């Protein structure tokens, strides 16, 4: 729970729905790597048309599970 609070505090300035490029920047990985994490299901997302949007709490779940 403490980790989740810290992660959410870290993401406080981010938009509620993140673009893949934002996820890549936050994780300091390439955009291709971020897409791979999303496609593999490691990072949950929402599809809007042909685009992926990642709610901040989905990214926080991924970070908590992988720290």
């Amino acid at each position: 729970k403490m980790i989740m609070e810290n992660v959410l505090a870290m993401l406080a300035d981010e938009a509620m729905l993140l673009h893949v490029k934002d996820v890549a920047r936050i994780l300091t990985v390439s955009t291709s790597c971020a897409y791979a994490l999303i496609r593999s299901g490691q990072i949950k997302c929402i599809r809007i048309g042909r685009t992926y949007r990642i709610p901040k709490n989905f990214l926080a779940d991924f970070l908590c599970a992988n720290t």
Side-chain angles (χ1 to χ4, degrees), residues 4 16-20 23 27 34-48 51-63 65-66:
M4 178 62 91
M16 288 299 286
L17 287 177
L18 302 168
H19 294 261
V20 176
V23 171
L27 298 178
Y35 274 111
L37 290 167
I38 291 165
R39 287 189 190 115
S40 71
Q42 293 180 64
I43 297 176
K44 296 178 189 172
C45 70
I46 296 171
R47 292 273 323 239
I48 300 174
T51 64
Y52 294 104
R53 292 292 182 266
I54 302 86
K56 207 170 16 177
N57 61 319
F58 288 5
L59 181 60
D61 291 341
F62 171 77
L63 290 170
N66 291 284

Side-chain angles (χ1 to χ4, degrees), residues 7-16 18 25-26 56:
V7 168
L8 289 173
M10 179 185 79
L11 298 173
D13 293 337
E14 300 293 336
M16 288 299 286
L18 302 168
R25 176 182 49 80
I26 292 165
K56 207 170 16 177

